[in-house]
Amino acid sequence: MKALTWHGKRDVRVDSVPDPEIRDSTDVIVKVTTSGLCGSDLHLYELFGPFLEPGDILGHEPMGVVEEVGSEVTRLRPGDRVVVPFNVSCGTCFMCAQGLHSQCETTQVHDHGKGASLFGYTKLYGQVPGGQAEYLRVPFGNTLPISVPDGPPDDRFVYLSDVLPTSWQAVEYAAVPPGGSVAVLGLGPIGDMCTRVAAHRGAGLVIGIDLVPERLARAGEHGVHTLDMEEYGDKIVDAVRDLTDGRGPDSVIDAVGMEAHGAPVAKGAQQMTTLLPGTLAARMMERVGIDCLSALHLAIELVRRGGTISLSGVYGGMADPMPLLTMFDKQVQLRMGQANVWRWVDDLLPLVTDGDPLGVEQFATHRVPLSEAPDAYEMFQKKRDGAVKVLFRP
């Protein structure tokens, strides 16, 4: 089959690789019909080479049609249409029963002290072959795949794999009061969807902050009050307070993470690790790595006293300095973590089956063949051509 594989920093290729096979009696093989390109994939494209090997198959946002099932799979049969969550979670362990599928005890990566395995995402998270491919082996066939109906296009459902649950959890963790205010930092795919979810769930004022004109315009079309970081610069805090009675928003969602702009020292440290030998680079990133914290520090400054910050942007450093004095003084509440996909399925399925209140059918900005994936990665990383969300068709 054809699959998108990693070969080095900014070097991904579409290769011919062996077809996946049933290994366990509860496995299913899915013929992928659509797979998304995620902002987290750019971390692999740029920074996380020490935890990858040439030939690793990327991608964690797939959906498709069941091709084959293991002997103990009773919930699915060939021909069923499914979405595959990015968490590789069993659905039956203690953590899954708590709704913490990203901490699944069955697939935790103990060698690296990490939570649940992820599709297409490095040795740190199990090195499980990903879904930017023609076929995908999916374990836990009775509990992991999300069954979706035939009929509507893939665009209606594919975001159940990551974008929708990640955004829904970000807004849930932000604890926006009814009619309250929320600022979303970063209007990439997750930030954009967070603004839609927040409005859908009753936020009175949704503020979106970014520095890419096309992304600001896109969010503005959905009723978001947008602010351009390039325009406001160090006056951005004053601009947000002017919109929120001088206090700051009730909640702030950091949808940027470690690729935040404006932190050249941290960015330099990140890039330096890519020049080190693999073992040393991995050790540095796991134990002493630092992140670009511009977005998180801005979130702490923006949020009103007693407000809540929700982190959906990925951070990877182990030595990140935090302004704890400010956080303590402002009585800031902070929640974070990988989305627990299955926890939110019951909330989300009606929003993509009974209608389209979040605008998912038109959410993608680019739909390209899998064969063009390397160019799409470069386009998305450089934010060219208005790229916000790219979908691959194998």
Side-chain angles (χ1 to χ4, degrees), residues 122 178 230 234 261 311:
T122 82
E230 292 281 7
D234 58 8
H261 293 261
L311 301 187

Side-chain angles (χ1 to χ4, degrees), residues 76-377:
L76 297 172
R77 59 184 181 182
D80 286 351
R81 195 180 188 197
V82 296
V83 176
V84 182
F86 75 93
N87 313 128
V88 185
S89 57
C90 71
T92 57
C93 70
F94 173 85
M95 286 295 178
C96 288
Q98 308 305 307
L100 295 170
H101 300 84
S102 67
Q103 309 302 323
C104 174
E105 291 182 327
T106 306
T107 71
Q108 283 176 12
V109 185
H110 298 291
D111 289 348
H112 294 281
K114 296 296 185 286
S117 297
L118 308 176
F119 285 103
Y121 216 80
T122 82
K123 297 175 185 177
L124 294 177
Y125 289 97
Q127 206 168 15
V128 181
Q132 291 170 3
E134 292 181 310
Y135 294 91
L136 176 68
R137 183 183 74 89
V138 180
F140 312 114
N142 289 318
T143 53
L144 181 55
I146 303 168
S147 296
V148 296
D150 292 329
D154 281 10
D155 291 48
R156 182 73 73 89
F157 303 116
V158 67
Y159 305 115
L160 290 169
S161 60
D162 184 351
V163 172
L164 283 171
T166 295
S167 302
W168 192 270
Q169 180 171 297
V171 174
E172 176 75 16
Y173 282 9
V176 187
S181 56
V182 58
V184 179
L185 307 182
L187 295 173
I190 299 301
D192 187 324
M193 186 57 73
C194 283
T195 66
R196 302 184 191 199
V197 170
H200 174 78
R201 295 183 58 169
L205 173 64
V206 181
I207 302 166
I209 301 173
D210 205 296
L211 40 69
V212 180
E214 294 87 351
R215 297 185 176 191
L216 291 161
R218 173 181 162 101
E221 291 172 358
H222 288 87
V224 178
H225 190 110
T226 59
L227 297 173
D228 186 344
M229 278 291 295
E230 292 281 7
E231 177 183 349
Y232 285 94
D234 58 8
K235 301 294 184 183
I236 192 70
V237 175
D238 293 335
V240 172
R241 287 180 179 163
D242 286 345
L243 296 171
T244 54
D245 299 322
R247 298 187 189 94
D250 299 305
S251 309
V252 178
I253 297 172
D254 174 1
V256 178
M258 63 183 175
E259 292 197 37
H261 293 261
V265 174
K267 183 175 181 180
Q270 287 180 348
Q271 295 295 334
M272 183 178 69
T273 64
T274 68
L275 304 177
L276 297 172
T279 303
L280 179 58
R283 188 178 304 119
M284 179 176 178
M285 291 183 73
E286 282 199 279
R287 299 184 182 178
V288 300
I290 61 175
D291 290 310
C292 303
L293 295 176
S294 304
L296 179 54
H297 285 184
L298 176 58
I300 294 166
E301 191 173 3
L302 283 175
V303 71
R304 69 160 171 81
R305 292 179 179 274
T308 302
I309 296 172
S310 172
L311 301 187
S312 63
V314 175
Y315 287 95
M318 287 292 287
D320 290 332
M322 294 288 287
L324 291 177
L325 175 61
T326 299
M327 295 171 70
F328 183 85
D329 177 65
K330 293 185 73 173
Q331 202 166 329
V332 169
Q333 301 174 77
L334 180 63
R335 294 198 72 181
M336 68 190 80
Q338 297 277 10
N340 306 295
V341 174
W342 257 105
R343 181 172 182 172
W344 312 114
V345 167
D346 288 344
D347 296 300
L348 292 167
L349 266 176
L351 301 181
V352 295
T353 54
D354 299 335
D356 189 15
L358 300 177
V360 293
E361 281 199 31
Q362 303 304 319
F363 191 69
T365 52
H366 295 73
R367 299 169 182 83
V368 302
L370 183 64
S371 60
E372 297 177 13
D375 291 337
Y377 265 73

